Amino acid sequence: MNIKQLLKNFSYTISSNLLSLVVSTLVVLIVPKLIGIQDYGYWQLYLFFTTYVGIFHLGWFDGIYLRYGGEYYDRLDKAKFNSQFILSTILELTLAMGIISISFLIRDNNKSYIIFMTAITMILTNMGQFFLYILQITNQIRRYASYTILGRLFYFILIVVILLLGIRSYKVLILADILSRIISLGYGVYCCRDMVFTRIRLETSNFKEAYLNITIGIKLLVANFASNLVIGVIRFGIQRFWGVSIFGKISLTLSISNLLMTFISAVSLVLFPTLRRIKTDVTRIYTDLRIILITLLLLGLIVYFPIQLVLPVWLPKYKDSLVYMAILFPMCLFDGKFEILINTFMKTLRLEKQLLILNIFSVLFSAILTLINVYIFKNLTFMMFSIVLVLGVRSTIGELILWKYLRINEIKQLLLEILIVSYFICVTWYLDLGVAFILYISVLIIYIVSHAKKIKKAISEFKSIN
């Protein structure tokens, strides 16, 4: 591994994700301040639906991701990938027409509009995903980052212009999102223009290639889809039984609690193609990366305190839902571990089947907890605890599975992390913010001091990986 190149790739993704973080933060802080709770709820519903449009490429791009991860762009068969782009575009257009037809049958005009626009977003997103996957698997992280930056920057500018013009409709916000996706897609076409603008040859071998990509990628697709559903099931339960307004408020809290995942995604993005190319023992990389990651995530929880101090004052309409950040913020630790350690290393070791089973189990567990709460407890606080519980169980089981293949055992460290997270939730939920801050910082200092040698050693070894 070229550590300089790795750090450079990290800098690209972190820069782009930092911009995404800034844009997301400003949008999260400004939009709910200026538009009504009902409109904000519908806007969040659209964002919620668009989270799942990726399933409609049927694992096609996931198969490409797994089969060609770590390849060099210049060595790719451009004609072969052109055929995959053409065929997948035809598939997306066909499926979109079906979804649009369904939208006309829905009586609720707002939901009908949202589903219609989701179909349009599906085409743009999935075609964009094709180019993003190509750039990622060939380790063109700079272009990948530029794709993200361009879309998010244009989106932010449009949102600002819309709000400055005094427009407060969620429908216009959706149009802004779609326009930004069109701009990003155009950049993706430009980056891979020698792959797109080449002679079209739809031969029998192209259909066989498509079939192979789908059959291999479907497991990873369903695993990723199930991963999104883990929280999605609970969010759907909130929308269905507590209404759009409460759904919007909780979505805001989830968005804020998930801000740390921006950086987690950056690391995960760079790691997969890099791990596929290196020759060093994967177990060593895993153990080094794990201690570094956990330390950073525990430090990241400090961000909760200034956010909880400022946001209730800035968004008083959402004060009743912002209290749940004490419960939801630690989900970044479990979700972060899952995305970087479990998800990335399972894909590198080609454990898609195990990943699929784990995520399906997590969705079923999430669904059971949601049904129990909706029909028995009917308690929103319990729903929030369910999110962290499900993510914690998924992360724990995932690590146990991975340890079996890597032949390691970090059970004591795992139990310590769970204990610290539980401690964080308890002190922030039950105690005054200032007292909670002092108590958590004290425990964090003890953790860092007691693990100082191990952290220093991990950083040193990680730099020497090749």
Side-chain angles (χ1 to χ4, degrees), residues 21-209:
L21 176 62
V22 171
V23 171
S24 298
T25 302
L26 290 174
V27 170
V28 162
L29 293 177
I30 294 172
V31 174
K33 179 77 173 179
L34 298 178
I35 72 173
I37 293 177
Q38 192 79 1
D39 270 79
Y40 185 75
Y42 281 121
W43 185 50
Q44 284 294 323
L45 191 59
Y46 161 77
L47 296 178
F48 177 54
F49 285 163
T50 56
T51 303
Y52 301 101
V53 296
I55 194 173
F56 291 103
H57 61 66
L58 307 182
W60 205 320
F61 306 147
D62 295 289
I64 293 174
Y65 178 83
L66 289 172
R67 292 180 64 211
Y68 297 98
E71 292 288 338
Y72 293 88
Y73 185 80
D74 293 338
R75 299 178 187 176
L76 295 178
D77 185 338
K78 304 301 189 299
K80 178 191 290 186
F81 282 88
N82 171 267
S83 70
Q84 299 307 293
F85 175 70
I86 298 298
L87 290 173
S88 60
T89 300
I90 294 171
L91 172 67
E92 296 307 311
L93 290 171
T94 304
L95 292 174
M97 291 303 296
I99 296 172
I100 288 171
S101 300
I102 293 172
S103 71
F104 290 126
L105 301 176
I106 298 175
R107 294 181 180 180
D108 187 322
N109 291 332
N110 288 308
K111 290 185 178 179
S112 176
Y113 175 83
I114 289 171
I115 292 174
F116 181 93
M117 300 309 282
T118 299
I120 304 300
T121 302
M122 181 192 76
I123 300 171
L124 300 172
T125 301
N126 286 342
M127 289 302 91
Q129 282 296 312
F130 174 84
F131 298 114
L132 282 174
Y133 272 49
I134 295 297
L135 295 175
Q136 184 183 354
I137 63 175
T138 56
N139 216 23
Q140 296 189 74
I141 304 302
R142 184 175 182 177
R143 285 186 166 183
Y144 186 105
S146 298
Y147 185 109
T148 304
I149 289 172
L150 190 63
R152 297 303 294 174
L153 190 58
F154 191 76
Y155 174 63
F156 176 68
I157 291 171
L158 285 176
I159 292 290
V160 171
V161 170
I162 288 168
L163 295 176
L164 287 176
L165 290 174
I167 301 171
R168 299 293 182 262
S169 171
Y170 76 90
K171 293 182 179 181
V172 183
L173 296 178
I174 290 175
L175 288 174
D177 179 64
I178 288 175
L179 284 173
S180 68
R181 292 174 193 265
I182 292 173
I183 297 296
S184 293
L185 179 59
Y187 179 74
V189 172
Y190 171 77
C191 289
C192 303
R193 57 191 179 279
D194 58 338
M195 187 178 289
V196 177
F197 301 111
T198 188
R199 186 177 177 183
I200 300 174
R201 295 179 180 179
L202 295 181
E203 302 169 348
T204 304
S205 60
N206 300 139
F207 291 94
K208 290 181 178 179
E209 173 74 11

Side-chain angles (χ1 to χ4, degrees), residues 345-391:
F345 280 85
M346 276 191 170
K347 286 187 289 188
T348 301
L349 297 171
R350 295 303 305 270
L351 302 175
E352 303 97 75
K353 184 177 179 181
Q354 289 83 345
L355 183 62
L356 171 61
I357 294 171
L358 173 61
N359 280 334
I360 289 176
F361 163 78
S362 302
V363 171
L364 291 175
F365 184 37
S366 178
I368 290 169
L369 289 178
T370 301
L371 289 172
I372 289 173
N373 187 48
V374 164
Y375 291 106
I376 299 177
F377 298 116
K378 300 178 180 179
N379 188 296
L380 198 57
T381 302
F382 180 82
M383 290 288 268
M384 298 302 100
F385 271 110
S386 298
I387 293 175
V388 179
L389 177 61
V390 172
L391 293 179

Side-chain angles (χ1 to χ4, degrees), residues 406-433:
L406 296 176
R407 297 180 181 179
I408 59 174
N409 190 332
E410 297 275 352
I411 193 68
K412 290 182 179 179
Q413 183 66 26
L414 178 63
L415 291 174
L416 176 61
E417 293 154 13
I418 294 173
L419 184 63
I420 292 175
V421 169
S422 302
Y423 174 80
F424 176 90
I425 293 175
C426 288
V427 297
T428 53
W429 182 255
Y430 291 107
L431 301 177
D432 177 75
L433 191 65

Side-chain angles (χ1 to χ4, degrees), residues 1-10 72 139 267 270-282 284-286 288-289 344-345 348 458-466:
M1 182 194 300
N2 186 330
I3 194 67
K4 289 184 178 179
Q5 184 60 46
L6 181 64
L7 292 175
K8 187 180 288 186
N9 286 342
F10 278 143
Y72 293 88
N139 216 23
V267 177
V270 175
L271 271 183
F272 177 71
T274 304
L275 288 174
R276 290 291 292 268
R277 290 180 180 178
I278 64 172
K279 300 177 181 178
T280 307
D281 182 14
V282 176
R284 179 185 163 193
I285 301 174
Y286 173 85
D288 289 341
L289 185 60
T344 303
F345 280 85
T348 301
I459 294 172
S460 178
E461 290 183 347
F462 194 73
K463 288 181 180 179
S464 64
I465 291 173
N466 53 55

Side-chain angles (χ1 to χ4, degrees), residues 441-451:
I441 287 293
S442 301
V443 167
L444 188 58
I445 291 172
I446 294 172
Y447 174 87
I448 293 174
V449 170
S450 62
H451 288 75

Side-chain angles (χ1 to χ4, degrees), residues 301-313 322-323 325-326 424-441:
L301 291 181
I302 297 174
V303 178
Y304 162 83
F305 297 98
I307 289 177
Q308 187 61 275
L309 186 66
V310 174
L311 275 188
V313 178
L322 290 173
V323 296
M325 276 202 302
F424 176 90
I425 293 175
C426 288
V427 297
T428 53
W429 182 255
Y430 291 107
L431 301 177
D432 177 75
L433 191 65
V435 176
F437 174 74
I438 294 171
L439 290 176
Y440 179 70
I441 287 293

